[in-house]
Amino acid sequence: MSTTIRHMLHVTLAVLLSAGVTYCSEPLPTINPVQSIELAAFDSITSDSAFQGLVVVMASWCPPCRKELPVLKKLYDQYKGDGIQIVALSVDAGGPKAVQPLIDELKVTFPVYWAGMPAVQHYKISGIPLLMAFSKGKLVQKLPGTQSASTIEKLIKSLLAKTG
């Protein structure tokens, strides 16, 4: 390769990188848009007596959150017909667009809301992920850290037993 061509390739690469072009494939399609939500509105969702299920507080930069989301997705798909609800509450600093790529990548199908760092103080969160279980709109359990599929499934079954 001639020196001129090599120089042109380096210049082209430098221009692309300085313009922020670092990824050349198409972005993943968004099938489940992350919604921005005020804390009062989120509180009203979880305090509704019809709310029976789990809330996972998470962030896209959190490796344990990334590990737990596919488990929650699988269990949501399995139990949603039984009346169990699963929603995620993102505390990412960058807003809904910060967490959207992760939701798209993992093909998360349950609702995902973004409330940002104010949710950490509001819900007295000391670490993420945090799984909160609700039965008939009342918080019944908080489980900090990554939970196994069997632990989450047992929790879901106990919530279903409370509705009977």
Side-chain angles (χ1 to χ4, degrees):
M1 183 182 305
S2 75
T3 305
T4 305
I5 293 174
R6 189 174 301 141
H7 178 70
M8 286 175 42
L9 287 172
H10 284 113
V11 169
T12 302
L13 180 60
V15 169
L16 289 172
L17 289 173
S18 68
V21 178
T22 57
Y23 190 71
C24 296
S25 80
E26 293 291 318
L28 293 168
T30 296
I31 57 168
N32 184 14
V34 176
Q35 302 172 49
S36 185
I37 194 167
E38 296 292 325
L39 292 173
F42 192 78
D43 277 344
S44 71
I45 291 170
T46 58
S47 64
D48 184 326
S49 62
F51 190 85
Q52 184 79 1
L54 307 172
V55 172
V56 60
V57 182
M58 50 79 59
S60 63
W61 44 262
C62 165
C65 299
R66 290 172 170 268
K67 180 180 175 186
E68 193 171 74
L69 280 173
V71 172
L72 288 165
K73 178 194 178 301
K74 181 180 176 190
L75 291 170
Y76 172 74
D77 291 342
Q78 182 178 344
Y79 287 100
K80 67 183 175 185
D82 296 331
I84 288 295
Q85 299 163 328
I86 297 178
V87 298
L89 184 63
S90 167
V91 295
D92 281 272
K97 64 183 171 189
V99 73
Q100 189 68 62
L102 177 64
I103 300 308
D104 293 342
E105 174 188 333
L106 299 177
K107 296 176 178 60
V108 172
T109 52
F110 51 82
V112 180
Y113 299 97
W114 175 85
M117 292 307 288
V120 172
Q121 291 178 334
H122 181 75
Y123 293 110
K124 297 173 178 64
I125 298 166
S126 60
I128 57 172
L130 172 68
L131 200 59
M132 298 187 290
F134 290 82
S135 179
K136 300 176 184 171
K138 299 209 182 308
L139 178 64
V140 294
Q141 192 168 9
K142 278 185 170 182
L143 297 171
T146 307
Q147 304 302 315
S148 69
S150 63
T151 298
I152 298 170
E153 188 165 26
K154 285 178 192 172
L155 183 56
I156 288 171
K157 288 179 178 180
S158 77
L159 292 172
L160 287 171
K162 291 179 183 190
T163 61

